[in-house]
Amino acid sequence: MQYVRMGGNGSAGTRRDRGHPRARRGRASSHLRPSLGWMDHLPVLGLDADDTLWENEAHFRQTEDRFLDLVAPWADHETAAAALLAAEKANLSVTGYGIKGFVLSMVETAISLSDGACDADRIGTILDWGRWMLQAPVDPLPGVAETLEVLAADHRLLVITKGDPGEQLRKVAASGLDGHFWQVEVVAHKTAEAYRDVLDGHGITPADFVMVGNSVPSDVLPVLALGGRAVHVPHHTTWALETVHADDVDGHDFPVLDSLAELPALLTDWRG
């Protein structure tokens, strides 16, 4: 384990982090489970989902690589990648995070780069990629299942993920890990306000809360701003919109783990 010393854009992040949800004040959707009285005394541990518990960004990277090849008649890879990222950023306020917004951004970018010459067959190919992503297998990262079993023995595991509720809750169910989770919350954006809303809804005091995830701007900084604790577990791929600069983390100290498997020992040390 190390404590953060970050420079440049050193955050490892989740892309377009992302049942039957129940909306709470338009901000969060919850996969609520019955209360088990014997668990009520256990501390709550927050966990991110995409690229913390299972692989996610790899699907986006694979599809983006295909897209860059598809629009190669009109733009080189660097130009197309920049245009796609700009479209994704512009669409976030409309579509939020997730696969559907990514597909919309690819379609818009293809039409724009080609000046309208991108034909229906190519658009259909993009839509097919989106359908594949929406049904892709959910593969837990190495050691995650075993670590969750250890953590669930003395914590209530609260998954907090962002994106489209349908997409996210499908992945929770398909992961085979959902039996370890106390509750699951899906938020539109991971801001301090969104975290406060979730914690208030479960009667959790921020000072008693620990959040664990692969994204510094989404999983670490908002929780620290509330007075909670956060742990960064970097992933090997990073979406450009989930990066931070050195100035963003100045004055913040938080542990950085090589893998989730190191988390139980850290929490034991914190309990003293």
Side-chain angles (χ1 to χ4, degrees):
M1 182 189 76
Q2 61 181 13
Y3 274 76
V4 64
R5 294 183 182 84
M6 305 193 77
N9 60 356
S11 165
T14 142
R15 179 189 294 238
R16 314 110 164 160
D17 261 320
R18 329 166 224 16
H20 299 282
R22 173 182 66 81
R24 173 163 44 234
R25 295 193 302 184
R27 291 196 200 124
S29 296
S30 308
H31 187 190
L32 296 176
R33 297 165 181 261
S35 176
L36 299 176
W38 65 269
M39 295 183 67
D40 290 348
H41 71 286
L42 296 178
V44 175
L45 177 64
L47 295 169
D48 174 51
D50 292 337
D51 297 317
T52 296
L53 301 180
W54 51 72
E55 193 70 60
N56 180 68
E57 178 66 10
H59 298 316
F60 285 89
R61 291 290 180 94
Q62 178 181 353
T63 303
E64 182 170 326
D65 287 344
R66 292 172 173 171
F67 173 76
L68 299 182
D69 290 337
L70 182 143
V71 297
W74 306 289
D76 59 54
H77 280 197
E78 183 177 357
T79 300
L84 177 58
L85 181 63
E88 289 182 88
K89 188 173 182 179
N91 282 329
L92 279 180
S93 63
V94 178
T95 64
Y97 294 86
I99 295 166
K100 300 180 186 73
F102 178 53
V103 171
L104 174 63
S105 297
M106 286 193 291
V107 170
E108 290 180 342
T109 302
I111 293 172
S112 175
L113 290 175
S114 68
D115 290 327
C118 184
D119 56 48
D121 285 344
R122 287 186 172 93
I123 299 299
T125 296
I126 294 172
L127 297 179
D128 286 342
W129 294 339
R131 291 188 188 93
W132 171 79
M133 293 177 71
L134 287 167
Q135 302 173 71
V138 181
D139 299 318
L141 294 171
V144 163
E146 296 82 358
T147 301
L148 291 182
E149 186 171 358
V150 173
L151 293 171
D154 50 12
H155 292 84
R156 287 176 286 168
L157 303 185
L158 170 60
V159 172
I160 305 176
T161 182
K162 71 181 178 186
D164 178 272
E167 291 179 23
Q168 293 307 100
L169 293 177
R170 181 198 76 84
K171 286 186 278 188
V172 169
S175 71
L177 303 173
D178 55 328
H180 298 297
F181 305 144
W182 171 61
Q183 304 289 354
V184 176
E185 294 275 359
V186 183
V187 297
H189 300 278
K190 283 185 169 179
T191 61
E193 180 184 15
Y195 277 106
R196 185 179 296 279
D197 187 49
V198 169
L199 297 184
D200 286 350
H202 292 291
I204 301 167
T205 302
D208 297 328
F209 180 66
V210 177
M211 181 67 189
V212 182
N214 72 300
S215 171
V216 171
S218 293
D219 303 316
V220 174
L221 296 181
V223 174
L224 296 180
L226 292 180
R229 284 179 160 181
V231 180
H232 184 211
V233 185
H235 190 54
H236 57 79
T237 52
T238 308
W239 186 34
L241 298 185
E242 288 287 352
T243 59
V244 293
H245 296 282
D247 290 347
D248 297 323
V249 296
D250 280 350
H252 297 291
D253 291 324
F254 49 89
V256 181
L257 306 182
D258 290 331
S259 73
L260 198 70
E262 298 178 0
L263 183 61
L266 171 65
L267 298 175
T268 298
D269 289 344
W270 277 358
R271 289 196 295 268

